[in-house]
Amino acid sequence: MARLLATLTFLLVAVQVCAGQQVDIYRAEALVTSQQASERATAARGGLREVMIRVSGDRAAADHPTIASAIRQAQNYLHEFSYASTDKRIESDTGSLPATLLIMKFSPAGIEQLLRDAGLPLWPANRPKLMVWIISEDNQGAQHRVPDEPALQAIYAQAAVRGLPLLFPLQDFEDTIALPSELLSELDEDAIRSASERYKPDAILAGKLSQAPDGQWQSSWLLMQSNDVQPVNGSGADLAAQISSAIDYSADQFARQYAIVPRAGNADPDVVVLRINDVADFADFKQVQRYFEGMAMVKHFELLQAEGNRLTVQLQIEGDLTLLSSTLELGKKLFPVASVSIETPFMAVASQPGELSADPVAAPSASIIGSGSRDNPLTYRWAD
């Protein structure tokens, strides 16, 4: 029987500093021994199960009756597939057979409809880059800042299953000076955040793994995002399970923050109005338009007004303003600026996101961005 590849290593995750946020959440791979339809159907069931977990952000998604029923007919959701040669082999009761890689791409529209039918969330493909720092201590007391092969494979595999793009430190001289091993071992939050700045991650997962003389592993992790810090602890004989659990916890937190929960019945999307500054020309406008139209939670984009370098746009969104704010923050294209009261003339945005230029006559109030109405739109600065 085909063995589903849990690792989509260089397709879904990356270890380079330039790793991107966009992941192919509708793709799965499996090793097969032939190109027969029956074997492809078996692999498709495993692939769709993996995709449903990844796209929903819900580890229990495949157990939902609607999803479980669809998985039995997984080929109906298979958009395209191809085969690639490998040097791997599949072990079976009848011996060792050469393996072929089956690459499957499932229908985004079909998957989204499945999630809606099941009332499950949709976690879009634009995802937080997770910076991973790990220090391990074996049962002889030796410390290691670079994960060994089993640990790396565990990280890659679980990050691929959950669709998390990863960043790893270069562990060069700059890293060891910025974050000495003793501070990493202590999970010193300030030192870890400071050392991570050069990589510009969206979130940081730092962990210490310690092996006791009896072989048991103890793990302590910190998941850091913005000003939030969440400790995660675990223990057990299986190192890979400790790592997978930390990756799962991180993915669960991100899914709760960024996933779109479908509306019940035929509920209309919410309407929100944004004022966008620093849109210099028509090319910028088209980029803004493409950016919003590419967001899963935006169902309709409408230009209300263009005046100078400022746009006023109306969005129909599926989700609330908190989700919209989090999604825009993750995209790093639009930066919020403070709103002024309706009675105060609009003030020019300074060169730094989040700041307004000084006006000695009519200073703006200290209130944060507006309500999202036409009278008081949310105010952002475009910075492509």
Side-chain angles (χ1 to χ4, degrees):
M1 187 176 69
R3 215 168 26 91
L4 182 66
L5 279 181
T7 305
L8 310 178
T9 306
F10 294 107
L11 300 174
L12 290 177
V13 296
V15 298
Q16 299 300 320
V17 176
C18 59
Q21 294 176 316
Q22 202 80 11
V23 294
D24 193 344
I25 58 178
Y26 299 101
R27 173 174 173 150
E29 298 182 354
L31 290 177
V32 295
T33 60
S34 73
Q35 297 187 17
Q36 293 182 0
S38 59
E39 192 169 6
R40 184 169 62 250
T42 300
R45 288 194 287 272
L48 182 57
R49 181 183 182 87
E50 181 180 326
V51 165
M52 296 309 302
I53 293 171
R54 186 183 307 126
V55 176
S56 68
D58 184 347
R59 282 183 272 173
D63 299 328
H64 190 284
T66 300
I67 306 303
S69 177
I71 288 174
R72 291 193 288 271
Q73 306 295 325
Q75 288 210 93
N76 293 341
Y77 299 90
L78 194 57
H79 180 63
E80 62 181 72
F81 63 89
S82 60
Y83 293 91
S85 60
T86 75
D87 58 359
K88 300 181 183 297
R89 301 187 70 85
I90 294 178
E91 303 296 330
S92 69
D93 295 338
T94 59
S96 178
L97 298 172
T100 300
L101 183 65
L102 171 60
I103 303 166
M104 299 169 285
K105 294 186 177 182
F106 291 89
S107 164
I111 299 300
E112 181 175 344
Q113 189 58 53
L114 259 181
L115 293 173
R116 289 185 180 279
D117 292 344
L120 292 173
L122 167 66
W123 184 11
N126 192 34
R127 302 195 169 188
K129 290 180 293 186
L130 181 63
M131 181 83 200
V132 180
W133 296 89
I134 291 180
I135 188 164
S136 62
E137 185 175 295
D138 60 31
N139 53 17
Q140 304 300 314
Q143 287 189 336
H144 310 276
R145 288 176 63 120
V146 178
D148 60 16
E149 189 64 22
L152 278 175
Q153 288 302 316
I155 296 170
Y156 289 153
Q158 202 59 27
V161 168
R162 301 305 303 272
L164 282 184
L166 302 182
L167 294 170
F168 282 92
L170 297 174
Q171 298 293 6
D172 56 7
F173 180 74
E174 185 174 342
D175 281 341
T176 56
I177 292 298
L179 184 58
S181 293
E182 57 268 25
L183 293 183
L184 178 55
S185 183
E186 294 169 2
L187 296 182
D188 185 294
E189 180 189 343
D190 291 338
I192 293 168
R193 286 184 182 274
S194 178
S196 301
E197 287 180 0
R198 67 185 290 208
Y199 299 101
K200 295 179 171 55
D202 298 303
I204 305 165
L205 179 66
K208 178 184 179 181
L209 301 165
S210 303
Q211 188 179 32
D214 63 359
Q216 293 286 308
W217 286 93
Q218 300 286 331
S219 63
S220 299
W221 305 84
L222 290 181
L223 176 61
M224 294 173 270
Q225 188 179 23
S226 299
N227 295 322
D228 187 46
V229 183
Q230 301 176 53
V232 187
N233 300 307
S235 62
D238 189 346
L239 174 62
Q242 297 294 305
I243 294 172
S244 296
S245 180
I247 294 293
D248 271 335
Y249 182 86
S250 302
D252 290 346
Q253 298 304 307
F254 298 150
R256 278 193 281 270
Q257 183 175 355
Y258 296 109
I260 302 164
V261 179
R263 296 182 182 277
N266 296 316
D268 293 331
D270 285 341
V271 175
V272 59
V273 177
L274 280 72
R275 175 183 289 138
I276 304 173
N277 302 301
D278 289 4
V279 182
D281 50 29
F282 182 73
D284 274 356
F285 162 71
K286 294 304 292 183
Q287 288 189 58
V288 171
Q289 182 181 27
R290 285 192 295 268
Y291 176 65
F292 280 116
E293 291 178 344
M295 290 173 58
M297 70 176 300
V298 175
K299 299 306 175 185
H300 182 71
F301 169 92
E302 180 183 355
L303 174 65
L304 298 180
Q305 185 179 33
E307 182 180 0
N309 67 348
R310 182 191 312 160
L311 302 177
T312 303
V313 303
Q314 179 172 282
L315 308 177
Q316 292 183 10
I317 63 172
E318 189 167 27
D320 57 20
L321 291 183
T322 299
L323 177 59
L324 178 63
S325 177
S326 297
T327 303
L328 294 180
E329 181 182 1
L330 183 63
K332 296 183 175 64
K333 297 286 189 180
L334 288 163
F335 297 89
V337 298
S339 283
V340 296
S341 63
I342 298 174
E343 294 80 12
T344 307
F346 186 81
M347 301 174 67
V349 178
S351 60
Q352 295 300 316
E355 295 182 357
L356 293 175
S357 60
D359 184 335
V361 177
S365 67
S367 62
I368 57 174
I369 55 178
S371 65
S373 66
R374 288 203 181 206
D375 290 334
N376 191 20
L378 301 175
T379 307
Y380 281 83
R381 171 182 178 269
W382 175 252
D384 184 32

